[in-house]
Amino acid sequence: MLVVLLACAQTAQAQNGLDRVRRLSSLESGEVTRVSALEVTLARNGVDKRIPSYEIRSIAFADEPRELSDARQLLQAGRYEQAVEKLNPLSRKSLGRRELDQEVAFGIASARGRLALAGQADAAEGRAAVGAFVSKHKNSYHLPAAIELLGDLELAAGNLDGARSQYEKLTKPGVAYYALRAALLLGRLDQAAGDHPAAVTQFQKVLSDTVSAGEELTLAATLGSAVSRSATGDVAEAAVDVRRIIAAADNEDTALLARAWNALGDCYREARDTKSSHLAYLHVDVLYPQQSDQHARALYHLVGLWNELGRAGRSQDAAARLQEDYPESRWAAKL
C-alpha cells in the first residue's frame, strides 16, 4: 500500500511541472538535466544535485504519459504482464524525450526479464529483451540494474560463465557500492556452483565495508554467508544470524523475508534437519507466494522434504504447483 501511495504522489507532483526522484529514503523535485549510467543530475533553483543511480528507486517525469505512470505502479507491484500491456503502445512511438523512451524500454525489458526469471515466460526471450536494453541504452541510470538482471537470467539458465561476465561489469566504474554489489552477486554465483568457501570470501567483502554497502547489501550478504557457512559446517551460528534478520525485518519487506526464510531452510537442509528445513520453506510457500523466484525455489525443496516426512500427497501437490505456476523456471526443470 505504501508503494502505491508514493507512486500516486509522484504522479500528481510530476504533473505539476517538476520531475520527481524517489531516493532510498527521500523524495526530491526539480528538472532532470542529465542522465548517465552512474548518476542523475537534478536542477532546482539554479543548483545542480548529482544523485547516484544506486540511490534512485524511481523517477516520475513531469511530461510523462499517464500510461507510463500506471505501468510503473504495476511493475512495483510485480504485475509484469499488465505493465507490458501498458508500455507496448508507448514503445512504438517517440515520447519526445530520451529519458521517457528509456523508461518505457527498461519497463518492458525488466518485466520480460522478471517473468522469465520467475519461470513464467520463455527464458531466451527474457534474456534477449534485457540484453537489447543493455546494448542500446548505455547512458540510462537503469543500466546497472539491467546488467544485474541479465546476469541473473544467465545464472538461472545455468550459464555460470555468462553470469560472471555480467556481474563483473559492475566493478568497472570504480564505484564502491557497485564493487560490493558485484561481490554479493559473485558470492551467490559461487554458491550456486557449490564453491562455498569462495562464496564466503565474496560475501565477507560486503560485510567488511557496511558503510559503502548500505543496509540492503549488508543483509543480503549476511544471508548468503549464513547459507555457505552452513554448508561448511557452521550451522548453528549461521541459523542464528538468519533468524535475527527475520526478527528485525519490516513485515512489508516480503522480498527480504522470502529470501531469509529460504536461507534458513538452506541452513537446516545442510544440517540434515528435515523438519526445521521444511518449516522454513513452508513459510515462503504460505506467506510469500508473490515473490515468484523465491516461491519456486521453496516449492522445489518442499517436493523432496514432504517425501522425507512421509507425505507423498503433499509432495505431489508441491511439484504440480511448481510445474503449473513456474513452468519455465530452473526449479521446475530440476524435478
Side-chain angles (χ1 to χ4, degrees):
M1 179 62 72
L2 179 59
V3 168
V4 173
L5 290 173
L6 283 171
C8 290
Q10 279 187 284
T11 300
Q13 291 165 331
Q15 290 172 346
N16 289 331
L18 294 173
D19 298 327
R20 298 281 168 166
V21 179
R22 183 160 70 92
R23 304 178 69 166
L24 296 178
S25 58
S26 65
L27 183 64
E28 301 190 34
S29 63
E31 179 187 358
V32 172
T33 58
R34 185 176 181 276
V35 176
S36 72
L38 298 180
E39 65 182 20
V40 168
T41 301
L42 188 68
R44 184 75 184 268
N45 298 325
V47 177
D48 287 346
K49 177 175 287 188
R50 297 162 65 180
I51 304 174
S53 296
Y54 60 81
E55 287 189 9
I56 299 174
R57 294 291 192 192
S58 64
I59 301 177
F61 293 92
D63 48 353
E64 68 181 32
R66 180 57 184 266
E67 294 86 351
L68 177 54
S69 304
D70 292 343
R72 187 178 295 113
Q73 294 179 44
L74 291 168
L75 288 168
Q76 291 170 344
R79 296 161 64 183
Y80 300 121
E81 291 179 347
Q82 293 162 287
V84 171
E85 290 177 6
K86 287 278 187 183
L87 293 171
N88 269 337
L90 297 179
S91 71
R92 292 190 279 270
K93 58 185 179 181
S94 173
L95 299 181
R97 183 174 178 179
R98 185 192 68 185
E99 291 84 1
L100 292 180
D101 293 335
Q102 288 178 338
E103 287 290 299
V104 172
F106 179 71
I108 293 173
S110 62
R112 289 177 174 165
R114 293 293 173 192
L115 285 168
L117 197 60
Q120 297 172 329
D122 183 79
E125 290 181 6
R127 291 199 303 276
V130 179
F133 180 87
V134 170
S135 297
K136 295 177 182 178
H137 300 285
K138 296 188 181 301
N139 58 356
S140 168
Y141 79 94
H142 290 298
L143 183 65
I147 289 172
E148 178 177 334
L149 179 56
L150 186 56
D152 291 346
L153 289 163
E154 295 288 2
L155 177 58
N159 183 4
L160 302 188
D161 289 340
R164 186 175 299 276
S165 175
Q166 295 302 323
Y167 294 154
E168 287 178 345
K169 290 178 182 178
L170 295 176
T171 66
K172 294 180 180 178
V175 177
Y177 174 86
Y178 287 122
L180 295 172
R181 189 158 194 94
L184 171 70
L185 298 169
L186 291 168
R188 289 176 179 171
L189 179 63
D190 290 331
Q191 198 172 69
D195 190 348
H196 291 286
V200 170
T201 297
Q202 292 288 0
F203 294 135
Q204 190 57 42
K205 292 179 183 178
V206 181
L207 298 175
S208 65
D209 188 2
T210 57
V211 174
S212 298
E215 183 180 21
E216 182 180 357
L217 292 191
T218 299
L219 289 174
T222 302
L223 293 177
S225 180
V227 173
S228 285
R229 282 163 44 215
S230 293
T232 57
D234 184 15
V235 177
E237 289 189 17
V240 168
D241 288 345
V242 177
R243 286 196 172 277
R244 283 183 185 138
I245 289 176
I246 291 171
D250 186 326
N251 288 335
E252 293 186 5
D253 195 348
T254 58
L256 172 63
L257 285 165
R259 185 177 288 278
W261 279 109
N262 269 342
L264 188 61
D266 291 348
C267 290
Y268 287 130
R269 184 166 49 83
E270 293 291 346
R272 305 292 191 272
D273 185 342
T274 300
K275 288 186 178 180
S276 297
S277 180
H278 153 262
L279 287 174
Y281 292 128
L282 195 60
H283 270 80
V284 181
D285 182 27
V286 174
L287 299 176
Y288 311 113
Q290 71 273 36
Q291 297 298 325
S292 303
D293 187 50
Q294 295 299 319
H295 186 219
R297 184 166 175 252
L299 285 173
Y300 169 77
H301 289 301
L302 284 170
V303 171
L305 291 167
W306 278 123
N307 269 330
E308 289 182 35
L309 292 169
R311 304 289 296 276
R314 295 297 298 269
S315 174
Q316 292 168 3
D317 172 69
R321 287 189 291 132
L322 176 57
Q323 292 173 326
E324 181 178 349
D325 294 342
Y326 312 106
E328 301 292 332
S329 74
R330 55 177 163 161
W331 305 107
K334 294 172 72 171
L335 284 181

